[in-house]
Amino acid sequence: MVISPVKRYVAITLSLLLSLCVNATDIAREQRWVDQTIDTIFDGEAVFLAVEEHRFLAIYTAPESPSINGLIVLHGTGLHPNYEQVVRPLRIELAEQGWHTLSIQLPLLESST
């Protein structure tokens, strides 16, 4: 399988950014979010990226026509990479307009309770 330059660039960028956050995450809670989120993906595909030993969910949505444009979509606190009110419509519309999108699951911090 050949990895496109867009996917390679995204993977390198995410590895650098998220390597600082991995130790502070709540792994069990994050896995529950992954399980629930995967069931809601109808447009795009679930892919898993890794930083060191930690895997995390991302949703890749390809554009309808060939394109070199791409961007990373980030969700807000307490949400997920396929959030129905903002993230899902945004990544679908961007794909329709010719953009590769990668919506990533940001680390969930351990709850303080």
Side-chain angles (χ1 to χ4, degrees), residues 1-16:
M1 180 170 105
V2 177
I3 299 174
S4 73
V6 172
K7 287 183 179 180
R8 184 176 302 124
Y9 175 75
V10 167
I12 291 169
T13 302
L14 291 175
S15 294
L16 294 172

Side-chain angles (χ1 to χ4, degrees), residues 17-77:
L17 292 173
L18 296 175
S19 64
L20 301 173
C21 302
V22 169
N23 293 332
T25 65
D26 185 335
I27 303 297
R29 202 168 114 221
E30 199 168 299
Q31 185 58 50
R32 287 191 301 273
W33 274 96
V34 168
D35 295 340
Q36 294 169 358
T37 301
I38 286 179
D39 292 338
T40 68
I41 300 171
F42 299 109
D43 297 292
E45 65 178 293
V47 295
F48 287 89
L49 304 175
V51 175
E52 297 174 3
E53 312 275 314
H54 183 74
R55 283 180 6 133
F56 61 95
L57 174 66
I59 303 170
Y60 171 68
T61 309
E64 295 180 355
S65 57
S67 173
I68 61 168
N69 299 321
L71 57 90
I72 298 171
V73 180
L74 303 175
H75 60 80
T77 303

Side-chain angles (χ1 to χ4, degrees), residues 77-94:
T77 303
L79 303 175
H80 56 81
N82 201 35
Y83 178 56
E84 301 82 10
Q85 301 301 314
V86 177
V87 178
R88 181 190 298 164
L90 179 62
R91 64 181 184 75
I92 292 169
E93 179 64 28
L94 286 167

